[in-house]
Amino acid sequence: MLFSDGTSLPSILPGPMEGVTAGAWLKILTRHRWADAWWTPFLRISTGVPRRSRLSAWLEPYLATGLPVIAQIMGEDTARLAETARRLHELGAAAVDLNCACPSPVVVRNHAGGERLRHPEWIAMTLQAMKCAVGTAPVGVKLRMGYESSAEFASGIAPAVCSAHPDFVTVHFRTVLERYDRVPGGLARLSAAREMLQGIPLIGSGDLFTPQDAIAMREKCGVDGVAPARGMLANPRLLVDIRQVMRGETPPPFTSQEKAALLGEFVAHAPRHFQLQMAANLYGKNSPEFNAFLKK
Ligand SMILES: Cc1cc2nc3c(=O)[nH]c(=O)nc-3n(C[C@H](O)[C@H](O)[C@H](O)COP(=O)(O)O)c2cc1C
């Protein structure tokens, strides 16, 4: 995706995942060249604007990969979010993204993340303030289709977002109350969002587990980019596989030797709880491989 300031971001992006997109995950996937950019999980801005040193320490593992970094922030205070965006951009973030999608009850109770969807005019005002703060650098927003109902997108969210002219918008097709439930017609919702966000680069999110899911989303919804998240846990090579299938190639199978070698890298670099999570993701919790790993 190319933005008006000449910044370009890949159109197949690793969706941010709090608790995953950090440390060993960044290092290992970057070393394998399984991602072309990184997107941080949200940084919560509450009582004040974090000092530059704190922001720098937070951003450092992402910047250290040498890949373009989208820094994501969330909060309720427009001025603090705008100033944080300015600092993050000065520290090297290629783009800054406002999270208005997180469904976590703690986050929502504190009027951040997905709760912001109840205040579309706040989203527009905050995006405008962030744009002013970062100059020409790209500013994006992560949305769900609504807080309670996907009808909120047409009635308030889309017009407000369009009025702020963000450089990119990411839409996860569920509502906040749907959290991660199965929802029928996710792609139809995303197609409708595409219609309503005319002229704005749109990244689609939701249930992208295979290359075929990504191709279907691009073809049916006309999105400019895709950002798989949970699918990368079972197949950390998913973004490369998507690119290959889009080129008409067949990705090689992920062999058990490759999985074992990858797990070995996480054993060397990640804490035990994350090693177990990766073993469960790669093999499945009921597999003999996972049970053998548990006993190690
Ligand atoms: C463990 C976890 C943490 C997440 N953290 C974030 C986050 O920090 N910021 C964000 O915008 N989305 C976050 N998401 C949402 C994903 O980026 C994505 O929008 C959502 O999972 C739907 O895509 P998927 O079905 O391909 O997983 C998170 C999702 C998961 C499962």
Side-chain angles (χ1 to χ4, degrees):
M1 283 175 301
L2 192 66
F3 300 109
S4 48
D5 73 332
T7 308
S8 116
L9 286 171
S11 55
I12 306 171
L13 287 154
M17 278 185 285
E18 167 71 7
V20 176
T21 320
W25 181 260
L26 296 173
K27 283 195 190 130
I28 293 168
L29 271 70
T30 303
R31 193 159 57 226
H32 285 282
R33 297 172 182 261
W34 288 341
D36 299 332
W38 286 112
W39 196 332
T40 75
F42 60 79
L43 177 68
R44 184 81 204 286
I45 307 303
S46 48
T47 51
V49 179
R51 287 169 191 272
R52 286 179 70 90
S53 55
R54 182 167 164 241
L55 291 175
S56 174
W58 175 74
L59 207 52
E60 197 278 333
Y62 303 93
L63 295 178
T65 65
L67 297 174
V69 175
I70 305 175
Q72 189 183 74
I73 54 180
M74 69 154 65
E76 189 188 4
D77 186 300
T78 295
R80 286 181 195 147
L81 288 163
E83 177 57 18
T84 307
R86 187 177 69 77
R87 292 185 189 182
L88 288 168
H89 175 55
E90 284 171 2
L91 288 166
V96 186
D97 187 40
L98 176 66
N99 182 313
C100 299
C102 179
S104 146
V106 179
V107 167
V108 165
R109 240 190 341 268
N110 285 293
H111 310 290
E115 197 276 342
R116 295 289 84 197
L117 294 174
R118 294 170 127 169
H119 310 281
E121 68 301 336
W122 178 93
I123 298 176
M125 180 179 74
T126 304
L127 286 175
Q128 274 154 356
M130 286 169 63
K131 280 180 58 149
C132 279
V134 302
T136 56
V139 168
V141 60
K142 169 85 177 273
L143 305 168
R144 286 186 177 226
M145 288 297 294
Y147 185 84
E148 271 176 66
S149 152
S150 60
E152 294 162 32
F153 206 82
S155 64
I157 297 166
V161 167
C162 287
S163 75
H165 304 292
D167 298 278
F168 62 102
V169 174
T170 310
V171 177
H172 175 186
F173 57 61
R174 293 179 173 85
T175 65
V176 172
L177 294 189
E178 285 166 347
R179 294 176 64 89
Y180 289 91
D181 299 345
R182 281 197 156 275
V183 295
L187 294 188
R189 289 181 179 184
L190 209 45
S191 298
R194 169 69 294 173
E195 287 293 307
M196 292 180 240
L197 299 170
Q198 294 279 334
I200 302 175
L202 177 63
I203 300 170
S205 166
D207 296 354
L208 294 170
F209 296 108
T210 65
Q212 289 68 29
D213 293 335
I215 289 169
M217 183 183 280
R218 210 175 63 163
E219 287 177 356
K220 289 188 184 150
C221 311
V223 293
D224 303 279
V226 287
R230 291 168 297 166
M232 290 185 71
L233 298 172
N235 177 9
R237 222 178 52 182
L238 179 59
L239 306 188
V240 176
D241 287 0
I242 292 173
R243 218 174 299 127
Q244 283 187 311
V245 174
M246 281 180 176
R247 283 200 303 261
E249 299 164 12
T250 306
F254 205 9
T255 64
S256 48
Q257 287 97 319
E258 284 168 329
K259 286 185 186 178
L262 181 62
L263 191 54
E265 292 183 62
F266 281 98
V267 168
H269 298 288
R272 179 71 180 161
H273 72 88
F274 199 75
Q275 295 171 19
L276 287 169
Q277 191 184 334
M278 282 310 298
N281 295 336
L282 289 170
Y283 295 114
K285 270 198 168 147
N286 296 321
S287 65
E289 290 91 343
F290 178 68
N291 281 305
F293 188 78
L294 263 184
K295 291 186 191 122
K296 279 190 188 164

